[in-house]
Amino acid sequence: MNTTWEPERFANLNRQLGECLELTAESPKVEELKQKLEELKPELASLLEYPAKNAQHRTALEKGTPTINGEQYKVSTDFVAEATKLSDFLEVDEDLAAALVHKAVGYEKRFELAAGESAVLLYFSEREAKLESLRTLFAGGASTGVDEGVRTVLEQHASEILSSTLKASSSMFPERVLAAINMLQGRQTRVSAVLSGPSAEVPYQREVVEFVKTRIGEERKQLAMLLFVIMRDYQLNSGELLAVVAWLRSASVSDAATLRLAAGLLVALGTDEGSEQAEAAALDKVSHLVRDSAFLVRLNAAIIDEPWCDSGLKGVVWLQWALLALFGMKRSPGFDQLIGFREDRVEAIAEQAVRMGAYRCAADYLLGHRIDDAMEYELADEFTALQQQRADTASAVSPRYPHFDDVSEELQWQLERSMEAMLAAFIGRMSSLVRRMRYSEEDALYQAQQSAVYQTTQAEPARRDTEALFAW
């Protein structure tokens, strides 16, 4: 793996990408971008994977003769100490660490930090720029607002990166994004352990190490947003979609990456019929599933049969899957035989999804960015009703979901659009189920009001699922 390093390569690439989004394919700058993308494509495809520490390179560094960007240098003992410390802290190859320290010398005055600490800032700055470049590339390759010729260039490179594999792994790019999110979680834990340990073992100023911890958390969110863009604008293959489902099943809702990946999965499974273009996209999804019936069965099993950590998130995904299945049965003959059940089973899945807390997750988690103090006060009763939506009984009140204050406008729009489309599809395609659930709740409420238990203890309030639907 490449151990060379130059500052601002990806920062410059991201600037080039942004400029070319406003140009036509005839511009010389677009040709320059094509050449730069071809040059950097292997590194873009590798995401945040850098060469690991190397015993041979460590020996050369300790002797004061590291190889820096392909050229052997004779360095001082102070340089050796800085590069060794950097290699250990960043968990990267010694030659790469030496190149970082070598280039960082020129940034010491700008950052007002020593070369080693300046190298840390440069390293994470370029990682951020690499992820931003990837997101710009993938979004631009699917944007109808970009010149067709430019979009074709971006889409071609995006598709090549999507289908790329690395020598050390046969996994495709989306699966490598998930692996990177997991890897960074472990890395963040190790940095936290350094900060909570003895002060003498903190390798740099505490502010620098705190910056690294924060940046790793931001990188996880960047990666999740990158995968969200891919799920929104491109079609994952069967293994990739199953990998996303598996990741979400075991995810914590307190993880900011979970919100972003959940948004992506709901888009990937969505069957919005709001426009001709949306309906065509929905039909494409169904056709893709029908062409690979084995995948259809596996995806159904992954969503329905396997355990989930959060019942509300499970409910939302179940509901979206039920709506897709019903759409498939209505629009693709033989879909029910391929998936192995009929419309009555789809309605049962949807009803169970509601019982699990789908409405609660939608309103309090996926749309949590809308909730402020005023809304908390005005809709207090509605939120109480939502907290009673869970799989077992309405007598237990579920805790509130975490709310994130860093949800981008792009993600907010998509979450609101997805929830609006899901709600419209649920009412439109399963109106009989909504009515039946409402009648059942009214009967249960009436019986409870007549019972002595209700009058004396109110031990088990009746479910309010339909009321919660409109709180959504």
Side-chain angles (χ1 to χ4, degrees):
M1 190 175 288
N2 190 3
T3 59
T4 63
W5 193 87
E6 293 288 345
E8 300 185 9
R9 285 187 306 159
F10 291 103
N12 291 333
L13 173 63
N14 200 37
R15 279 194 290 273
Q16 283 182 274
L17 283 163
E19 289 176 3
C20 289
L21 294 179
E22 307 295 328
L23 302 175
T24 63
E26 290 73 28
S27 171
K29 290 187 176 182
V30 175
E31 184 59 36
E32 293 173 11
L33 175 63
K34 287 170 64 176
Q35 295 173 9
K36 185 58 67 174
L37 284 171
E38 200 62 39
E39 174 192 337
L40 295 177
K41 193 188 307 175
E43 291 186 63
L44 289 168
S46 68
L47 281 170
L48 299 180
E49 187 171 334
Y50 294 88
K53 294 195 286 185
N54 182 292
Q56 184 178 347
H57 294 171
R58 172 64 63 111
T59 299
L61 177 60
E62 290 171 346
K63 291 178 180 178
T65 56
T67 299
I68 298 175
N69 289 346
E71 182 180 348
Q72 191 176 72
Y73 279 70
K74 182 67 177 175
V75 298
S76 67
T77 54
D78 287 344
F79 185 100
V80 170
E82 282 290 356
T84 302
K85 181 167 65 173
L86 187 66
S87 172
D88 290 339
F89 180 61
L90 298 181
E91 301 175 0
V92 298
D93 185 284
E94 289 74 7
D95 283 353
L96 175 57
L100 281 161
V101 174
H102 177 69
K103 293 294 182 180
V105 171
Y107 289 80
E108 288 178 300
K109 289 185 179 179
R110 184 194 300 184
F111 294 154
E112 298 182 348
L113 293 170
E117 294 174 325
S118 296
V120 172
L121 267 60
L122 287 174
Y123 175 72
F124 280 97
S125 176
E126 273 294 85
R127 286 162 63 100
E128 179 182 8
K130 179 191 276 193
L131 294 179
E132 284 300 316
S133 297
L134 282 163
R135 182 172 162 187
T136 305
L137 173 63
F138 280 105
S143 174
T144 57
V146 176
D147 174 79
E148 185 177 356
V150 176
R151 185 171 68 248
T152 299
V153 170
L154 300 181
E155 194 277 332
Q156 177 188 342
H157 285 85
S159 296
E160 290 173 359
I161 290 173
L162 268 181
S163 60
S164 66
T165 58
L166 302 180
K167 290 182 179 179
S169 171
S170 60
S171 60
M172 294 293 190
F173 186 79
E175 294 171 277
R176 298 202 299 275
V177 175
L178 289 173
I181 292 172
N182 292 335
M183 177 271 294
L184 287 176
Q185 190 169 36
R187 177 78 178 113
Q188 193 172 36
T189 299
R190 293 194 293 276
V191 174
S192 297
V194 169
L195 286 166
S196 62
S199 297
E201 295 182 10
V202 179
Y204 300 107
Q205 294 182 51
R206 184 166 289 273
E207 292 81 1
V208 173
V209 181
E210 289 280 5
F211 163 80
V212 171
K213 177 184 174 182
T214 300
R215 271 307 314 155
I216 292 172
E218 292 300 313
E219 287 177 351
R220 294 184 76 249
K221 288 186 280 190
Q222 278 186 283
L223 285 163
M225 275 302 294
L226 173 61
L227 192 48
F228 159 77
V229 168
I230 292 171
M231 286 190 279
R232 180 193 66 191
D233 297 337
Y234 300 82
Q235 191 169 71
L236 299 188
N237 68 30
S238 57
E240 293 160 354
L241 193 56
L242 287 167
V244 173
V245 172
W247 194 95
L248 284 170
R249 284 202 312 263
S250 61
S252 167
V253 291
S254 62
D255 186 345
T258 302
L259 178 69
R260 290 154 174 82
L261 293 181
L265 180 62
L266 293 175
V267 173
L269 298 178
T271 49
D272 182 12
E273 298 176 83
S275 66
E276 288 186 13
Q277 184 179 3
E279 186 170 356
L283 287 169
D284 281 345
K285 292 175 187 177
V286 170
S287 298
H288 176 64
L289 292 170
V290 169
R291 285 195 301 269
D292 188 352
S293 57
F295 167 51
L296 175 61
V297 173
R298 288 167 62 205
L299 183 58
N300 179 71
I303 292 173
I304 302 299
D305 298 338
E306 299 294 333
W308 290 67
C309 280
D310 184 80
S311 62
L313 181 58
K314 177 182 181 180
V316 170
V317 177
W318 271 40
L319 184 55
Q320 186 77 306
W321 178 242
L323 292 170
L324 184 151
L326 187 58
F327 180 84
M329 291 175 185
K330 297 287 189 183
R331 305 299 292 274
S332 179
F335 189 94
D336 52 351
Q337 275 123 4
L338 292 174
I339 200 171
F341 51 80
R342 299 184 183 278
E343 288 187 27
D344 56 342
R345 171 61 176 153
V346 173
E347 286 202 354
I349 290 172
E351 183 172 3
Q352 197 170 350
V354 173
R355 305 291 186 193
M356 290 173 184
Y359 300 162
R360 179 173 59 92
C361 182
D364 196 27
Y365 184 62
L366 297 173
L367 300 177
H369 60 270
R370 304 188 307 177
I371 300 174
D372 55 19
D373 291 342
M375 182 178 287
E376 289 279 8
Y377 178 78
E378 292 172 8
L379 300 180
D381 291 342
E382 286 79 357
F383 283 127
T384 299
L386 284 170
Q387 284 176 270
Q388 293 177 353
Q389 310 314 302
R390 52 185 294 155
D392 46 11
T393 175
S395 63
V397 176
S398 301
R400 293 293 297 275
Y401 277 99
H403 301 153
F404 302 102
D405 57 7
D406 59 350
V407 182
S408 67
E409 290 185 5
E410 176 187 16
L411 185 59
Q412 288 182 29
W413 185 91
Q414 186 60 64
L415 284 165
E416 291 170 14
R417 180 72 188 87
S418 293
M419 293 302 97
E420 176 187 334
M422 184 189 294
L423 183 59
F426 181 47
I427 295 173
R429 297 177 198 171
M430 299 189 182
S431 57
S432 60
L433 172 61
V434 175
R435 287 194 299 271
R436 189 169 69 248
M437 291 178 69
R438 181 56 180 166
Y439 296 153
S440 176
E441 289 162 21
E442 288 175 346
D443 289 345
L445 182 61
Y446 176 77
Q447 292 172 12
Q449 289 172 335
Q450 301 303 311
S451 70
V453 172
Y454 181 88
Q455 295 169 6
T456 57
T457 67
Q458 298 185 6
E460 188 170 326
R463 294 190 65 93
R464 298 161 68 185
D465 294 301
T466 311
E467 180 181 341
L469 168 64
F470 293 99
W472 173 353

